[in-house]
Amino acid sequence: MCTPNRAQRQKQRFDLLPRPPFAFRRTTMAGDDISMESSELKRQKMDRDDRRDVISNLPDSVLLHILSFLPTRDAVRTVMVPRFRYLWTSTRHLSFDHCAYHNCKEKAAAFRIDERFVNFTDHVLTLHENPTIDSFRLNLNYWAEVYPDNNDPQWEDGITEETRRSNKIGTWICFAVRRKVQFLDLNFLGCAGESPDNLYVLPSIVLRCSCLVELKLASCEVWLVGEVQLRSLRKLFMKQIDLTDNKMAGILSGCPLLKELSLEDCYGLHEPEFCSAPSIEVLNLEDCGLKKLDLTRSDIKHLNIDISGHLELVCPNVKILDIAGRIEYVKVTDMSSLVDTSLCFSHYLRYSSGKYREFRLLLERLSCSPYFMPCDLCILVLTIWELTHQPRPSFAWKHVTLQLHLEKRYLPGISSLLRNSHFLETLTIHVYPGRDEDDSEVLEKMEISTKKTLQRTRGKYMFSRDIGHPSKDYCTSDALLDFSQKLLSFPRASTRAVIHLG
């Protein structure tokens, strides 16, 4: 047996010494550094753990803000996450949607209150700990089922299922009011297409909630018991609620700070006066069956009205006027303050010669507005006047915005508008190429304008199906070039009117 030499003996002693991992390195036969690889894996694992646990390091205020964007049903489910646990009991935003418990396409299921929904709502409100809440939303189909048969198992001690349900809902609403809710949204229509025969009676405590800033009511009965005390209310929205002129005046008299009022499908109004709430600046009316609207005694600045049939309108203080719907006749008087106007028909104009004269008078009255946005059907009327040699009115508009399909039928109307607008400065045209298979509309990025600052457009704009469906090749480069060349060749009454293709 060979005796180890001096170098081998030193190596053996060296191997017996302790080796701190940071001081020495070990390598594989391939020369890879095992210690470096191991530390890198540990570092990556720590980074993954840190990223995985980033939510746990957030303060409660941030987590509660995250929960505010979730439906309450999903917020409660975060109880399974250790960091959230019972944090949902302090959320300031509560939302209960009955549609989450049934298939909305099945009508029979939509009109039955699911016991799971009732139990869940009771459970959440019982465990909730925050003394104040910011918002409370309730969405359900209220279908009042009355059981007149005393032998019916639903009838106990003379109390019907309808009464029980009303009491239960009333308890939920009172909970929100006691917690000084600021935003209250009560929708008893749910996913149903029409209101039930028996409407839910809104608790009178809602109209005495002085902390409310915004209130939305849909498909319920509103009774005025005592004085309305909505002293902080800024926005009020009501849908499918029977109103009278006196009831409307009573509600508005208790809203001294109201800024925006929206009414949709609220029948029973005849000639309402909104002067009882002088602070109102924005009024939105849709399908309320009004025949006459006199705003002489109000300070409303923005009127958005969607009507069917006839309407007489007096609005001396209105600055922004949007008229839409299945309009047959509109008589507008006293518009001395008008600045911005839009006119949108939702059906094809099949007028007699007499009604054409009425429409002409309407355009002449609206021409006092510097900014004007007519719909595509208005331009078709101008086209008919041009082709049938009807007398054309003179317009005083300075800035006109059009939204229409790229079709040659609009060119005579645009030509007539240019030749009869003596003060026109800007003409902006947004072109719709047509509808695809699912009838969605895509706004093509073609703008004919002289002022890039003119960017105010309506959010809701309707087009008539009677116009037809343009083919898919309308917005080819050749079509745009042909359309633009014809447009630029039109004579203009205003020497300041410049059309820029951009």
Side-chain angles (χ1 to χ4, degrees), residues 22 42 54 62 71 74 80 103 107 119 165 172 179 196 199 222 238 253 279 282 340 360 373 389 397 431 446 465 479:
F22 55 86
K42 290 181 180 179
V54 65
V62 175
D74 294 333
M80 304 301 295
N103 185 357
K107 186 175 182 180
N119 294 335
R165 188 180 308 162
W172 300 340
R179 299 298 172 98
L199 296 174
V222 178
M238 291 189 286
S253 63
S279 60
V282 181
D340 197 341
R360 173 185 173 178
M373 181 187 293
H389 306 289
W397 302 312
V431 179
M446 171 189 173
R465 297 182 181 273

Side-chain angles (χ1 to χ4, degrees), residues 478-493:
D478 293 338
L480 287 173
L481 179 61
D482 181 62
F483 184 87
S484 303
Q485 288 176 345
K486 287 186 173 63
L487 183 62
L488 291 172
S489 66
F490 293 151
R492 302 158 212 167

Side-chain angles (χ1 to χ4, degrees), residues 231-254:
R231 292 187 290 268
S232 302
L233 196 66
R234 300 296 197 279
K235 292 184 179 181
L236 175 60
F237 172 84
M238 291 189 286
K239 178 179 180 180
Q240 294 190 7
I241 295 178
D242 290 334
L243 296 172
T244 62
D245 294 347
N246 292 334
K247 183 184 292 187
M248 189 76 257
I251 294 175
L252 296 181
S253 63

Side-chain angles (χ1 to χ4, degrees), residues 153-172:
Q154 297 288 351
W155 183 287
E156 296 179 6
D157 300 328
I159 301 177
T160 64
E161 181 67 18
E162 176 191 3
T163 304
R164 280 200 193 85
R165 188 180 308 162
S166 298
N167 293 340
K168 180 69 69 173
I169 296 173
T171 302
W172 300 340

Side-chain angles (χ1 to χ4, degrees), residues 147-211:
Y147 300 93
D149 186 3
N150 292 346
N151 296 324
D152 194 286
Q154 297 288 351
W155 183 287
E156 296 179 6
D157 300 328
I159 301 177
T160 64
E161 181 67 18
E162 176 191 3
T163 304
R164 280 200 193 85
R165 188 180 308 162
S166 298
N167 293 340
K168 180 69 69 173
I169 296 173
T171 302
W172 300 340
I173 296 175
C174 290
F175 170 89
V177 173
R178 288 195 302 269
R179 299 298 172 98
K180 300 180 180 180
V181 62
Q182 297 183 21
F183 175 86
L184 183 60
D185 184 358
L186 303 176
N187 183 358
F188 299 101
L189 186 63
C191 55
E194 56 185 14
S195 298
D197 295 334
N198 298 322
L199 296 174
Y200 174 75
V201 179
L202 184 73
S204 59
I205 190 175
V206 174
L207 300 181
R208 296 195 301 271
C209 183
S210 59
C211 297

Side-chain angles (χ1 to χ4, degrees), residues 239-500:
K239 178 179 180 180
Q240 294 190 7
I241 295 178
D242 290 334
L243 296 172
T244 62
D245 294 347
N246 292 334
K247 183 184 292 187
M248 189 76 257
I251 294 175
L252 296 181
S253 63
C255 309
L257 301 180
L258 188 64
K259 296 296 183 183
E260 182 174 349
L261 173 63
S262 300
L263 304 177
E264 181 179 345
D265 292 334
C266 294
Y267 289 91
L269 297 173
H270 297 285
E271 295 184 9
E273 294 184 358
F274 299 97
C275 57
S276 55
S279 60
I280 296 181
E281 297 179 355
V282 181
L283 177 61
N284 303 309
L285 301 175
E286 182 176 350
D287 293 334
C288 292
L290 293 176
K291 302 300 181 184
K292 184 177 181 180
L293 182 61
D294 190 346
L295 302 178
T296 304
R297 299 172 58 191
S298 71
D299 293 327
I300 295 173
K301 305 302 181 184
H302 185 178
L303 175 60
N304 187 350
I305 184 167
D306 190 322
I307 62 171
S308 298
H310 297 70
L311 175 67
E312 294 185 20
L313 182 61
V314 182
C315 49
N317 300 316
V318 172
K319 293 184 177 181
I320 301 175
L321 175 62
D322 301 328
I323 302 178
R326 299 185 63 86
I327 307 168
E328 295 181 5
Y329 170 75
V330 180
K331 181 180 179 181
V332 184
T333 58
D334 196 356
M335 298 184 300
S336 54
S337 303
L338 207 57
V339 175
D340 197 341
T341 309
S342 73
L343 190 60
C344 181
F345 293 94
S346 60
H347 72 297
Y348 193 75
L349 298 173
R350 299 184 178 91
Y351 280 171
S352 62
S353 58
K355 291 186 177 180
Y356 273 124
R357 287 193 295 270
E358 295 173 356
F359 183 66
R360 173 185 173 178
L361 292 175
L362 175 62
L363 291 183
E364 288 179 339
R365 292 191 180 99
L366 295 179
S367 67
C368 67
S369 171
Y371 291 85
F372 183 59
M373 181 187 293
C375 65
D376 52 350
L377 294 177
C378 294
I379 302 302
L380 285 181
V381 171
L382 296 180
T383 295
I384 295 173
W385 289 352
E386 183 74 13
L387 298 180
T388 58
H389 306 289
Q390 297 283 340
R392 274 86 64 188
S394 296
F395 307 118
W397 302 312
K398 292 183 178 181
H399 310 280
V400 177
T401 301
L402 305 178
Q403 298 189 25
L404 40 81
H405 298 295
L406 188 59
E407 299 182 71
K408 293 182 179 179
R409 69 175 75 184
Y410 296 115
L411 290 174
I414 298 176
S415 174
S416 175
L417 186 148
L418 288 172
R419 283 189 287 105
N420 295 280
S421 300
H422 298 275
F423 303 98
L424 186 64
E425 296 179 4
T426 303
L427 174 63
T428 303
I429 302 180
H430 301 285
V431 179
Y432 284 84
R435 301 177 176 88
D436 54 19
E437 294 179 357
D438 60 353
D439 288 335
S440 62
E441 295 172 351
V442 181
L443 182 62
E444 190 73 10
K445 292 184 178 180
M446 171 189 173
E447 182 174 334
I448 303 173
S449 177
T450 57
K451 291 187 177 180
K452 294 184 179 180
T453 57
L454 184 65
Q455 298 183 11
R456 183 175 182 274
T457 57
R458 304 298 188 272
K460 296 169 62 178
Y461 211 82
M462 295 171 287
F463 284 87
S464 169
R465 297 182 181 273
D466 297 330
I467 297 177
H469 296 265
S471 61
K472 294 184 179 181
D473 59 349
Y474 271 138
C475 279
T476 62
S477 58
D478 293 338
L480 287 173
L481 179 61
D482 181 62
F483 184 87
S484 303
Q485 288 176 345
K486 287 186 173 63
L487 183 62
L488 291 172
S489 66
F490 293 151
R492 302 158 212 167
S494 173
T495 57
R496 293 177 293 178
V498 178
I499 301 177
H500 171 70

